[in-house]
Amino acid sequence: MARDRTPSRRRVALLAAATAVLALAGPRTAAAGPPAALSGSGAAASGPPAALAGLPRGHDVSSHQERVDWDAVRSLGARFVYVKATESTDYRNPYFGRQYGGAHEAGLTRGAYHFARPDRSSGARQAAFFLRHGGRGRADGRTLPPALDIEYNPYDEHHKCYGLNRTRMVRWIRSFTDEVRRETGRDPVVYTTAHWWRACTGDSHDFARDTALWIASHGTPDPGELPGGWRDWTFWQYGTEGALPGDQNLFNGSPDRLRALAHGRGPRGD
């Protein structure tokens, strides 16, 4: 997923993280981009896999995509977007309001996401910060559930799981998702990779029942094996480059089901 701290720090950290991921996982591992070197095959897809091309297309953006022509994005086929709102408890995307509002005005279903920093503070505290600064979206038929982006530590190659053991990581994620649910009444979305989830949560099955999965797997014909007891994916980030600004995504369902999710029903429309 897009991160937007200072460029020099980000470049160094991402190169280190890419090396660590490739060494751990080999060619099948998928970690959220950018850059493409963090994806499963090192390839950045230019369009959705042919077998799934009929699914609703979307993308995710951060401050790296400062100015987006949302009407053009809509004309290119985008139907939804996730916008980065916050990271840890000390960073807010300075363009969030413009991006989030612009997407809405162009008719896209939009949602907000938070980039997790479990080494900085509790899950509940970061969730509260996120909800205060853009994450509190109403189930109004146009707003997707709040999303948690949790993946390899891009800032420290020696602490890929942010210094937390698997038990503590599961507790951290649960603290975040419970706070979101308590404050909004909505079941959140979790963005991750299968490899990170296995390495850092022990492939926990604790979230498959009450959170939708946003899986990252780049340059592959399908999302592959899913983590943690999830039987299906809701969103799939399949590439870091393409026609739409930012990372490229698909929704696993019909446009009606996408609207149902934005109305507060489950990802399968129930």
Side-chain angles (χ1 to χ4, degrees):
M1 189 79 78
R3 289 171 290 275
D4 38 11
R5 296 287 187 169
T6 57
S8 59
R9 182 183 182 190
R10 180 176 175 272
R11 280 196 295 268
V12 172
L14 285 171
L15 286 172
T19 301
V21 171
L22 291 173
L24 275 173
R28 180 59 179 164
T29 300
L38 286 177
S39 68
S41 68
S46 59
L52 300 175
L55 295 176
R57 294 174 58 199
H59 57 135
D60 58 84
V61 299
S62 70
S63 69
H64 294 300
Q65 294 77 38
E66 176 182 349
R67 298 184 183 277
V68 177
D69 184 337
W70 293 104
D71 290 328
V73 163
R74 173 81 183 184
S75 70
L76 287 170
R79 293 298 175 261
F80 67 90
V81 64
Y82 264 104
V83 181
K84 179 174 181 176
T86 52
E87 179 175 325
S88 186
T89 56
D90 60 0
Y91 176 80
R92 297 167 59 187
N93 173 5
Y95 312 115
F96 174 79
R98 178 195 306 165
Q99 294 169 331
Y100 199 65
H104 182 77
E105 290 174 6
L108 273 71
T109 303
R110 82 284 170 77
Y113 77 86
H114 174 81
F115 186 83
R117 290 295 305 275
D119 54 335
R120 292 292 188 87
S121 56
S122 71
R125 185 177 174 189
Q126 291 193 29
F129 180 76
F130 171 51
L131 295 174
R132 286 197 305 272
H133 300 294
R136 187 184 293 276
R138 294 181 303 161
D140 57 4
R142 296 284 301 279
T143 306
L144 295 168
L148 172 66
D149 172 4
I150 189 153
E151 55 180 282
Y152 281 101
N153 186 348
Y155 303 113
D156 186 347
E157 64 175 308
H158 301 297
H159 295 92
K160 303 172 189 67
C161 302
Y162 300 89
L164 274 62
N165 63 29
R166 292 170 173 181
T167 299
R168 292 177 61 202
M169 183 62 76
V170 169
R171 288 175 181 167
W172 193 98
I173 298 169
R174 178 55 70 190
S175 176
F176 185 99
T177 58
D178 281 354
E179 181 69 9
V180 168
R181 192 174 288 109
R182 185 178 70 83
E183 289 293 327
T184 69
R186 305 189 75 180
D187 291 332
V189 173
V190 171
Y191 167 99
T192 194
T193 73
H195 188 270
W196 185 90
W197 196 261
R198 286 193 297 268
C200 298
T201 75
D203 209 35
S204 172
H205 285 46
D206 289 1
F207 301 91
R209 276 184 151 186
D210 57 7
T211 58
L213 174 64
W214 183 359
I215 186 71
S217 182
H218 303 161
T220 56
D222 57 63
E225 183 179 355
L226 303 181
W230 276 287
R231 295 182 179 180
D232 213 345
W233 53 275
T234 299
F235 297 100
W236 173 24
Q237 186 189 87
Y238 63 84
T240 61
E241 295 179 1
L244 305 177
D247 301 319
Q248 312 297 296
N249 294 273
L250 292 174
F251 172 73
N252 191 15
S254 66
D256 285 343
R257 282 182 171 173
L258 181 65
R259 285 189 289 272
L261 180 64
H263 272 297
R265 296 191 283 277
R268 301 273 62 85
D270 53 349

